[in-house]
Amino acid sequence: MDERFFCDSHAHYDQRRFDGDREALLASMGENGVGLIINVGCDLPSSEASVALARQYDFIYAAVGSHPDDAGHVDEARLWEYRRLAGADKVVAIGEIGLDYHYEDVPREIQKRAFRAQLALAEALHLPVIVHEREAHGDALEILNDFPSVTGVFHCFSGSLELGRELVKRGWYLGFTGVITFKNARKAVEVAQWAPLNRLLVETDCPYMAPEPYRGRRSDSTMIPKMVEKIAALRGLPVETVARATLDNAKRLFSIS
Ligand code: NI
């Protein structure tokens, strides 16, 4: 049987924190059972780097887009750049895009405009989206109402059970990071326990969000089994069942054969 059944649906291997050992680390994924990684852009350089990684590694696929922190740079020219990049092989989503009202480094109106513009791009290209949403549940849902044909994943899901239910009803997937292994992760755990198995994704958001017992360290995709084990324990399922399901879900969402 193929042992590469872990999928990290949200990673940032383009980041500087991997400069010292990126190649060695990515070369070790196979022996660690990791068979699929989505490398996600946050701005133009990281989107370009994601596409380059996808070109270099057969098990890496890419998403391109601007994170809410970069929303101020999403203009017509930038949207054309993303459209061009999305035409490359193995670009499977627009992301990460969304709203972040926690730090609010960028004014809300600018975030909303960039989110809408990138949802419209995803709609035009028939691509799913990877949404970063923090403390902006209401506005995010309201904007998504205007793009009924667009679905994707709410990554590092931090919402309530009620929001989880609403998203699942609309055909969305929910992504869980190492946060679900933290002692104080009550809400995320509740949703991960409830959600239909065919709508769950696991992710590291590496280099961030390392799971227990690595909390505080740089994370990488070899830690994905910790999230899978946690979900399996919550639901009383074999680890392999959850690993398979989360891999199949990512392949389905991102149309990877
Ligand atoms: Ni991310």
Side-chain angles (χ1 to χ4, degrees):
M1 199 187 75
D2 181 8
E3 295 297 327
R4 293 186 172 207
F5 51 48
F6 290 109
C7 168
D8 184 353
S9 63
H10 192 117
H12 300 284
Y13 284 107
D14 51 284
Q15 292 211 359
R16 280 218 185 105
R17 287 175 74 187
F18 292 110
D19 281 356
D21 62 348
R22 183 178 295 107
E23 285 199 11
L25 186 58
L26 290 173
S28 77
M29 290 303 154
E31 72 208 41
N32 283 292
V34 179
L36 178 62
I37 295 172
I38 313 295
N39 204 83
V40 183
C42 297
D43 54 18
L44 185 57
S46 62
S47 296
E48 284 171 335
S50 296
V51 174
L53 283 166
R55 203 172 286 140
Q56 196 179 346
Y57 295 92
D58 60 351
F59 57 90
I60 297 185
Y61 287 72
V64 300
S66 281
H67 183 282
D69 287 351
D70 190 52
H73 296 111
V74 178
D75 55 13
E76 281 305 312
R78 177 61 70 84
L79 291 165
W80 274 105
E81 291 292 336
Y82 289 149
R83 184 181 279 267
R84 178 182 63 79
L85 286 172
D89 269 355
K90 297 172 73 189
V91 177
V92 294
I94 299 297
E96 55 187 292
I97 63 176
L99 303 173
D100 193 324
Y101 294 172
H102 183 72
Y103 294 112
E104 237 180 290
D105 294 331
V106 176
R108 293 185 181 194
E109 285 313 310
I110 291 173
Q111 292 191 36
K112 288 194 215 175
R113 197 191 315 142
F115 188 30
R116 283 184 179 280
Q118 294 181 98
L119 284 166
L121 179 63
E123 185 176 50
L125 298 174
H126 304 290
L127 284 174
V129 294
I130 296 171
V131 170
H132 170 106
E133 180 274 315
R134 198 164 176 204
E135 296 174 24
H137 308 324
D139 282 359
L141 280 182
E142 198 182 302
I143 289 172
L144 291 178
N145 282 338
D146 294 338
F147 299 89
S149 70
V150 178
T151 60
V153 55
F154 264 51
H155 111 87
C156 195
F157 187 77
S158 63
S160 61
L161 193 55
E162 191 188 357
L163 177 65
R165 279 187 207 280
E166 180 60 28
L167 288 168
V168 164
K169 197 175 80 188
R170 294 180 184 207
W172 286 71
Y173 291 72
L174 308 175
F176 293 93
T177 60
V179 168
I180 56 164
T181 68
F182 298 172
K183 298 250 173 336
N184 56 352
R186 197 180 46 80
K187 266 200 317 187
V189 161
E190 193 181 23
V191 180
Q193 197 165 15
W194 163 81
L197 188 58
N198 65 359
R199 299 300 184 80
L200 288 178
L201 297 181
V202 286
E203 54 173 274
T204 54
D205 200 14
C206 66
Y208 313 110
M209 305 284 182
E212 293 290 359
Y214 312 111
R215 194 170 177 180
R217 283 172 44 183
R218 185 190 75 173
S219 72
D220 67 67
S221 308
T222 65
M223 298 174 185
I224 276 290
K226 296 293 171 206
M227 287 66 124
V228 173
E229 284 163 15
K230 175 72 184 195
I231 292 173
L234 283 172
R235 304 173 69 109
L237 290 171
V239 170
E240 196 181 319
T241 303
V242 175
R244 280 274 166 217
T246 49
L247 172 65
D248 289 346
N249 294 344
K251 287 181 169 178
R252 189 185 320 115
L253 172 60
F254 298 120
S255 299
I256 296 167
S257 53

Short mmCIF file of all heavy atoms in Angstrom, two decimals, residues 191-245:
data_model
loop_
_atom_site.label_atom_id
_atom_site.label_comp_id
_atom_site.label_asym_id
_atom_site.label_seq_id
_atom_site.Cartn_x
_atom_site.Cartn_y
_atom_site.Cartn_z
N VAL A 191 -15.67 21.88 16.72
CA VAL A 191 -16.01 21.86 15.29
C VAL A 191 -15.36 20.66 14.60
O VAL A 191 -15.99 19.99 13.79
CB VAL A 191 -15.62 23.19 14.61
CG1 VAL A 191 -15.98 23.14 13.13
CG2 VAL A 191 -16.32 24.36 15.28
N ALA A 192 -14.11 20.37 14.96
CA ALA A 192 -13.40 19.23 14.34
C ALA A 192 -14.07 17.91 14.69
O ALA A 192 -14.00 16.94 13.93
CB ALA A 192 -11.94 19.21 14.78
N GLN A 193 -14.72 17.88 15.83
CA GLN A 193 -15.42 16.68 16.27
C GLN A 193 -16.75 16.53 15.53
O GLN A 193 -17.15 15.43 15.19
CB GLN A 193 -15.68 16.78 17.77
CG GLN A 193 -16.03 15.50 18.43
CD GLN A 193 -15.91 15.62 19.95
OE1 GLN A 193 -15.84 16.73 20.50
NE2 GLN A 193 -15.89 14.50 20.62
N TRP A 194 -17.38 17.65 15.26
CA TRP A 194 -18.69 17.64 14.63
C TRP A 194 -18.66 17.50 13.10
O TRP A 194 -19.49 16.79 12.52
CB TRP A 194 -19.45 18.94 14.98
CG TRP A 194 -20.59 19.15 14.05
CD1 TRP A 194 -21.83 18.57 14.11
CD2 TRP A 194 -20.57 19.92 12.84
NE1 TRP A 194 -22.57 18.93 13.03
CE2 TRP A 194 -21.83 19.76 12.23
CE3 TRP A 194 -19.61 20.72 12.20
CZ2 TRP A 194 -22.16 20.37 11.02
CZ3 TRP A 194 -19.92 21.33 11.01
CH2 TRP A 194 -21.19 21.16 10.43
N ALA A 195 -17.71 18.16 12.46
CA ALA A 195 -17.77 18.33 11.00
C ALA A 195 -17.82 16.99 10.26
O ALA A 195 -17.20 16.02 10.69
CB ALA A 195 -16.55 19.11 10.53
N PRO A 196 -18.55 16.94 9.15
CA PRO A 196 -18.55 15.71 8.34
C PRO A 196 -17.12 15.36 7.93
O PRO A 196 -16.34 16.26 7.58
CB PRO A 196 -19.38 16.09 7.11
CG PRO A 196 -20.19 17.27 7.53
CD PRO A 196 -19.39 17.99 8.55
N LEU A 197 -16.79 14.08 8.00
CA LEU A 197 -15.41 13.65 7.71
C LEU A 197 -14.96 14.06 6.30
O LEU A 197 -13.79 14.33 6.07
CB LEU A 197 -15.31 12.13 7.89
CG LEU A 197 -13.91 11.52 7.83
CD1 LEU A 197 -12.99 12.12 8.88
CD2 LEU A 197 -13.98 10.00 7.97
N ASN A 198 -15.93 14.16 5.40
CA ASN A 198 -15.55 14.50 4.02
C ASN A 198 -15.37 16.01 3.78
O ASN A 198 -15.22 16.44 2.65
CB ASN A 198 -16.54 13.89 3.01
CG ASN A 198 -17.93 14.48 3.13
OD1 ASN A 198 -18.18 15.34 3.99
ND2 ASN A 198 -18.83 14.03 2.30
N ARG A 199 -15.39 16.79 4.86
CA ARG A 199 -15.16 18.24 4.73
C ARG A 199 -13.98 18.73 5.57
O ARG A 199 -13.78 19.93 5.72
CB ARG A 199 -16.40 19.02 5.18
CG ARG A 199 -17.61 18.73 4.36
CD ARG A 199 -17.39 19.08 2.88
NE ARG A 199 -18.64 18.85 2.18
CZ ARG A 199 -19.64 19.72 2.21
NH1 ARG A 199 -19.53 20.86 2.82
NH2 ARG A 199 -20.76 19.43 1.58
N LEU A 200 -13.22 17.81 6.12
CA LEU A 200 -12.10 18.19 6.97
C LEU A 200 -10.78 18.20 6.21
O LEU A 200 -10.50 17.30 5.44
CB LEU A 200 -11.94 17.17 8.11
CG LEU A 200 -12.97 17.16 9.23
CD1 LEU A 200 -12.62 16.05 10.21
CD2 LEU A 200 -12.98 18.49 9.94
N LEU A 201 -9.99 19.24 6.47
CA LEU A 201 -8.62 19.27 5.98
C LEU A 201 -7.70 19.49 7.17
O LEU A 201 -8.10 20.10 8.17
CB LEU A 201 -8.41 20.41 4.98
CG LEU A 201 -9.21 20.38 3.67
CD1 LEU A 201 -8.84 21.60 2.82
CD2 LEU A 201 -8.96 19.11 2.89
N VAL A 202 -6.46 18.98 7.06
CA VAL A 202 -5.45 19.27 8.08
C VAL A 202 -4.33 20.06 7.43
O VAL A 202 -4.07 19.91 6.23
CB VAL A 202 -4.89 18.00 8.75
CG1 VAL A 202 -5.91 17.42 9.72
CG2 VAL A 202 -4.47 16.97 7.72
N GLU A 203 -3.71 20.90 8.23
CA GLU A 203 -2.70 21.81 7.70
C GLU A 203 -1.74 22.22 8.82
O GLU A 203 -2.10 22.17 10.00
CB GLU A 203 -3.39 23.06 7.17
CG GLU A 203 -4.29 23.73 8.20
CD GLU A 203 -4.86 25.07 7.75
OE1 GLU A 203 -4.17 26.09 7.95
OE2 GLU A 203 -5.97 25.09 7.20
N THR A 204 -0.54 22.62 8.42
CA THR A 204 0.39 23.14 9.43
C THR A 204 0.37 24.66 9.49
O THR A 204 0.62 25.24 10.53
CB THR A 204 1.84 22.73 9.11
OG1 THR A 204 2.15 23.15 7.79
CG2 THR A 204 2.03 21.24 9.28
N ASP A 205 0.11 25.33 8.35
CA ASP A 205 0.35 26.76 8.22
C ASP A 205 1.83 27.03 8.55
O ASP A 205 2.18 28.05 9.12
CB ASP A 205 -0.56 27.59 9.13
CG ASP A 205 -0.68 29.04 8.68
OD1 ASP A 205 -0.30 29.36 7.53
OD2 ASP A 205 -1.15 29.88 9.48
N CYS A 206 2.68 26.05 8.23
CA CYS A 206 4.09 26.19 8.60
C CYS A 206 4.73 27.39 7.89
O CYS A 206 4.34 27.70 6.78
CB CYS A 206 4.86 24.90 8.29
SG CYS A 206 5.00 24.48 6.55
N PRO A 207 5.61 28.11 8.58
CA PRO A 207 6.35 27.76 9.81
C PRO A 207 5.61 28.06 11.12
O PRO A 207 6.21 27.94 12.18
CB PRO A 207 7.59 28.65 9.71
CG PRO A 207 7.09 29.90 9.02
CD PRO A 207 6.08 29.39 8.01
N TYR A 208 4.32 28.43 11.06
CA TYR A 208 3.59 28.81 12.28
C TYR A 208 2.86 27.62 12.90
O TYR A 208 2.80 26.55 12.33
CB TYR A 208 2.57 29.91 11.94
CG TYR A 208 3.14 31.00 11.10
CD1 TYR A 208 2.76 31.16 9.77
CD2 TYR A 208 4.10 31.88 11.63
CE1 TYR A 208 3.31 32.16 8.99
CE2 TYR A 208 4.65 32.88 10.85
CZ TYR A 208 4.26 33.01 9.53
OH TYR A 208 4.80 33.99 8.74
N MET A 209 2.22 27.89 14.05
CA MET A 209 1.20 27.01 14.63
C MET A 209 1.62 25.57 14.90
O MET A 209 0.83 24.64 14.74
CB MET A 209 -0.03 26.93 13.68
CG MET A 209 -0.62 28.24 13.31
SD MET A 209 -1.56 28.86 14.69
CE MET A 209 -2.20 30.36 13.96
N ALA A 210 2.86 25.35 15.32
CA ALA A 210 3.30 23.97 15.57
C ALA A 210 2.39 23.31 16.60
O ALA A 210 2.01 23.92 17.60
CB ALA A 210 4.74 23.97 16.06
N PRO A 211 2.03 22.03 16.35
CA PRO A 211 1.17 21.32 17.30
C PRO A 211 1.94 20.92 18.56
O PRO A 211 3.17 20.92 18.56
CB PRO A 211 0.78 20.06 16.51
CG PRO A 211 1.95 19.82 15.60
CD PRO A 211 2.45 21.19 15.22
N GLU A 212 1.21 20.55 19.60
CA GLU A 212 1.82 19.90 20.74
C GLU A 212 2.43 18.56 20.27
O GLU A 212 1.82 17.91 19.42
CB GLU A 212 0.78 19.62 21.83
CG GLU A 212 0.21 20.86 22.49
CD GLU A 212 1.22 21.59 23.37
OE1 GLU A 212 2.38 21.14 23.50
OE2 GLU A 212 0.84 22.64 23.91
N PRO A 213 3.56 18.13 20.71
CA PRO A 213 4.41 18.72 21.76
C PRO A 213 5.48 19.67 21.22
O PRO A 213 6.48 19.89 21.89
CB PRO A 213 5.07 17.47 22.36
CG PRO A 213 5.24 16.56 21.18
CD PRO A 213 4.08 16.84 20.25
N TYR A 214 5.28 20.21 20.03
CA TYR A 214 6.30 21.07 19.42
C TYR A 214 5.94 22.55 19.53
O TYR A 214 6.57 23.39 18.90
CB TYR A 214 6.47 20.73 17.94
CG TYR A 214 6.63 19.26 17.65
CD1 TYR A 214 5.64 18.55 16.98
CD2 TYR A 214 7.78 18.58 18.05
CE1 TYR A 214 5.78 17.20 16.71
CE2 TYR A 214 7.93 17.23 17.79
CZ TYR A 214 6.93 16.54 17.12
OH TYR A 214 7.06 15.21 16.86
N ARG A 215 4.89 22.87 20.26
CA ARG A 215 4.37 24.22 20.32
C ARG A 215 5.47 25.25 20.55
O ARG A 215 6.33 25.05 21.42
CB ARG A 215 3.33 24.33 21.44
CG ARG A 215 2.50 25.60 21.33
CD ARG A 215 1.32 25.58 22.28
NE ARG A 215 0.61 26.84 22.19
CZ ARG A 215 -0.47 27.15 22.87
NH1 ARG A 215 -0.98 26.27 23.72
NH2 ARG A 215 -1.05 28.32 22.72
N GLY A 216 5.46 26.32 19.73
CA GLY A 216 6.47 27.37 19.85
C GLY A 216 7.63 27.19 18.90
O GLY A 216 8.37 28.12 18.63
N ARG A 217 7.79 25.98 18.38
CA ARG A 217 8.87 25.75 17.42
C ARG A 217 8.42 26.04 16.00
O ARG A 217 7.23 26.20 15.74
CB ARG A 217 9.33 24.28 17.51
CG ARG A 217 10.19 24.03 18.72
CD ARG A 217 10.49 22.57 18.93
NE ARG A 217 10.85 21.84 17.71
CZ ARG A 217 11.09 20.53 17.69
NH1 ARG A 217 11.00 19.83 18.81
NH2 ARG A 217 11.39 19.92 16.58
N ARG A 218 9.36 26.06 15.08
CA ARG A 218 9.00 26.16 13.66
C ARG A 218 8.29 24.88 13.28
O ARG A 218 8.78 23.79 13.56
CB ARG A 218 10.28 26.32 12.82
CG ARG A 218 9.99 26.55 11.36
CD ARG A 218 11.26 26.46 10.52
NE ARG A 218 11.69 25.06 10.35
CZ ARG A 218 12.69 24.67 9.56
NH1 ARG A 218 13.39 25.56 8.89
NH2 ARG A 218 13.01 23.38 9.47
N SER A 219 7.16 25.00 12.63
CA SER A 219 6.47 23.78 12.23
C SER A 219 6.84 23.40 10.80
O SER A 219 7.36 24.22 10.04
CB SER A 219 4.95 23.94 12.35
OG SER A 219 4.46 24.79 11.34
N ASP A 220 6.58 22.13 10.46
CA ASP A 220 6.71 21.68 9.07
C ASP A 220 5.77 20.49 8.88
O ASP A 220 5.19 19.99 9.84
CB ASP A 220 8.17 21.33 8.74
CG ASP A 220 8.64 20.11 9.50
OD1 ASP A 220 8.12 19.00 9.24
OD2 ASP A 220 9.53 20.25 10.37
N SER A 221 5.61 20.06 7.65
CA SER A 221 4.58 19.08 7.31
C SER A 221 4.77 17.71 7.96
O SER A 221 3.82 16.93 8.01
CB SER A 221 4.50 18.90 5.79
OG SER A 221 4.36 20.15 5.16
N THR A 222 5.97 17.41 8.47
CA THR A 222 6.15 16.12 9.13
C THR A 222 5.38 16.08 10.46
O THR A 222 5.26 15.02 11.07
CB THR A 222 7.64 15.82 9.42
OG1 THR A 222 8.14 16.77 10.36
CG2 THR A 222 8.47 15.87 8.15
N MET A 223 4.85 17.22 10.90
CA MET A 223 4.05 17.27 12.15
C MET A 223 2.56 17.03 11.90
O MET A 223 1.77 16.95 12.84
CB MET A 223 4.25 18.62 12.84
CG MET A 223 5.68 18.88 13.26
SD MET A 223 5.91 20.55 13.92
CE MET A 223 7.69 20.57 14.17
N ILE A 224 2.18 16.89 10.65
CA ILE A 224 0.76 16.69 10.30
C ILE A 224 0.13 15.49 11.03
O ILE A 224 -1.04 15.56 11.42
CB ILE A 224 0.60 16.56 8.76
CG1 ILE A 224 0.52 17.95 8.12
CG2 ILE A 224 -0.61 15.73 8.37
CD1 ILE A 224 -0.75 18.73 8.41
N PRO A 225 0.86 14.39 11.26
CA PRO A 225 0.24 13.28 11.98
C PRO A 225 -0.34 13.69 13.34
O PRO A 225 -1.31 13.10 13.81
CB PRO A 225 1.39 12.27 12.14
CG PRO A 225 2.25 12.52 10.94
CD PRO A 225 2.19 14.01 10.73
N LYS A 226 0.23 14.71 13.98
CA LYS A 226 -0.31 15.14 15.28
C LYS A 226 -1.74 15.65 15.15
O LYS A 226 -2.58 15.42 16.02
CB LYS A 226 0.58 16.24 15.89
CG LYS A 226 1.98 15.78 16.21
CD LYS A 226 1.97 14.76 17.35
CE LYS A 226 3.33 14.13 17.53
NZ LYS A 226 3.27 12.80 18.14
N MET A 227 -2.02 16.40 14.08
CA MET A 227 -3.39 16.90 13.88
C MET A 227 -4.32 15.75 13.52
O MET A 227 -5.45 15.67 13.99
CB MET A 227 -3.42 17.93 12.75
CG MET A 227 -2.83 19.28 13.08
SD MET A 227 -1.05 19.21 13.39
CE MET A 227 -0.44 20.40 12.22
N VAL A 228 -3.82 14.84 12.69
CA VAL A 228 -4.63 13.70 12.27
C VAL A 228 -4.95 12.81 13.48
O VAL A 228 -6.09 12.38 13.67
CB VAL A 228 -3.90 12.89 11.18
CG1 VAL A 228 -4.64 11.61 10.86
CG2 VAL A 228 -3.73 13.74 9.92
N GLU A 229 -3.95 12.57 14.32
CA GLU A 229 -4.16 11.75 15.53
C GLU A 229 -5.19 12.38 16.46
O GLU A 229 -6.02 11.70 17.04
CB GLU A 229 -2.83 11.58 16.29
CG GLU A 229 -1.89 10.59 15.63
CD GLU A 229 -0.44 10.73 16.14
OE1 GLU A 229 -0.21 11.37 17.19
OE2 GLU A 229 0.45 10.19 15.46
N LYS A 230 -5.12 13.71 16.59
CA LYS A 230 -6.06 14.41 17.46
C LYS A 230 -7.49 14.25 16.95
O LYS A 230 -8.41 13.93 17.73
CB LYS A 230 -5.68 15.90 17.54
CG LYS A 230 -6.64 16.75 18.32
CD LYS A 230 -6.54 16.49 19.81
CE LYS A 230 -7.59 17.30 20.57
NZ LYS A 230 -7.33 17.36 22.00
N ILE A 231 -7.68 14.44 15.66
CA ILE A 231 -9.03 14.32 15.08
C ILE A 231 -9.51 12.87 15.18
O ILE A 231 -10.66 12.60 15.52
CB ILE A 231 -9.03 14.81 13.62
CG1 ILE A 231 -8.80 16.33 13.58
CG2 ILE A 231 -10.36 14.46 12.93
CD1 ILE A 231 -8.63 16.91 12.19
N ALA A 232 -8.61 11.93 14.94
CA ALA A 232 -8.98 10.51 15.04
C ALA A 232 -9.42 10.17 16.46
O ALA A 232 -10.44 9.50 16.66
CB ALA A 232 -7.80 9.64 14.61
N ALA A 233 -8.70 10.69 17.45
CA ALA A 233 -9.05 10.43 18.85
C ALA A 233 -10.39 11.06 19.20
O ALA A 233 -11.23 10.44 19.86
CB ALA A 233 -7.95 10.96 19.77
N LEU A 234 -10.60 12.29 18.74
CA LEU A 234 -11.87 12.99 19.01
C LEU A 234 -13.07 12.22 18.48
O LEU A 234 -14.14 12.24 19.06
CB LEU A 234 -11.87 14.36 18.33
CG LEU A 234 -11.07 15.49 18.96
CD1 LEU A 234 -11.05 16.70 18.02
CD2 LEU A 234 -11.69 15.87 20.31
N ARG A 235 -12.86 11.57 17.33
CA ARG A 235 -13.98 10.95 16.65
C ARG A 235 -14.01 9.43 16.82
O ARG A 235 -14.91 8.76 16.27
CB ARG A 235 -13.93 11.30 15.17
CG ARG A 235 -13.90 12.81 14.94
CD ARG A 235 -13.68 13.16 13.51
NE ARG A 235 -14.81 12.81 12.69
CZ ARG A 235 -15.62 13.71 12.14
NH1 ARG A 235 -15.45 14.98 12.33
NH2 ARG A 235 -16.62 13.30 11.39
N GLY A 236 -13.03 8.88 17.53
CA GLY A 236 -12.99 7.44 17.75
C GLY A 236 -12.75 6.67 16.46
O GLY A 236 -13.32 5.61 16.23
N LEU A 237 -11.91 7.21 15.58
CA LEU A 237 -11.62 6.57 14.30
C LEU A 237 -10.15 6.17 14.24
O LEU A 237 -9.32 6.78 14.91
CB LEU A 237 -11.90 7.55 13.15
CG LEU A 237 -13.36 7.91 12.87
CD1 LEU A 237 -13.43 9.05 11.86
CD2 LEU A 237 -14.11 6.69 12.35
N PRO A 238 -9.81 5.19 13.39
CA PRO A 238 -8.39 4.87 13.20
C PRO A 238 -7.67 6.06 12.55
O PRO A 238 -8.26 6.76 11.71
CB PRO A 238 -8.41 3.68 12.24
CG PRO A 238 -9.80 3.15 12.26
CD PRO A 238 -10.69 4.31 12.61
N VAL A 239 -6.42 6.27 12.92
CA VAL A 239 -5.62 7.36 12.37
C VAL A 239 -5.58 7.28 10.84
O VAL A 239 -5.71 8.30 10.14
CB VAL A 239 -4.19 7.32 12.95
CG1 VAL A 239 -3.26 8.27 12.22
CG2 VAL A 239 -4.22 7.67 14.44
N GLU A 240 -5.45 6.08 10.34
CA GLU A 240 -5.34 5.91 8.89
C GLU A 240 -6.61 6.38 8.17
O GLU A 240 -6.53 6.93 7.07
CB GLU A 240 -5.02 4.47 8.55
CG GLU A 240 -4.52 4.33 7.13
CD GLU A 240 -4.22 2.88 6.75
OE1 GLU A 240 -3.66 2.16 7.59
OE2 GLU A 240 -4.54 2.51 5.61
N THR A 241 -7.75 6.16 8.78
CA THR A 241 -9.02 6.59 8.17
C THR A 241 -9.05 8.10 8.02
O THR A 241 -9.45 8.64 6.98
CB THR A 241 -10.21 6.12 9.05
OG1 THR A 241 -10.13 4.71 9.18
CG2 THR A 241 -11.54 6.52 8.45
N VAL A 242 -8.62 8.80 9.06
CA VAL A 242 -8.64 10.27 9.02
C VAL A 242 -7.57 10.79 8.06
O VAL A 242 -7.79 11.75 7.31
CB VAL A 242 -8.45 10.86 10.44
CG1 VAL A 242 -8.36 12.39 10.38
CG2 VAL A 242 -9.61 10.44 11.34
N ALA A 243 -6.42 10.12 8.04
CA ALA A 243 -5.35 10.53 7.12
C ALA A 243 -5.83 10.39 5.67
O ALA A 243 -5.69 11.31 4.87
CB ALA A 243 -4.10 9.68 7.35
N ARG A 244 -6.43 9.25 5.37
CA ARG A 244 -6.95 9.00 4.02
C ARG A 244 -8.01 10.02 3.64
O ARG A 244 -8.03 10.55 2.54
CB ARG A 244 -7.62 7.62 3.97
CG ARG A 244 -6.68 6.50 3.81
CD ARG A 244 -6.36 6.27 2.34
NE ARG A 244 -5.20 5.40 2.25
CZ ARG A 244 -4.25 5.49 1.35
NH1 ARG A 244 -4.30 6.42 0.43
NH2 ARG A 244 -3.24 4.67 1.35
N ALA A 245 -8.94 10.25 4.57
CA ALA A 245 -10.06 11.15 4.29
C ALA A 245 -9.56 12.57 4.02
O ALA A 245 -9.99 13.22 3.06
CB ALA A 245 -11.05 11.15 5.46
#
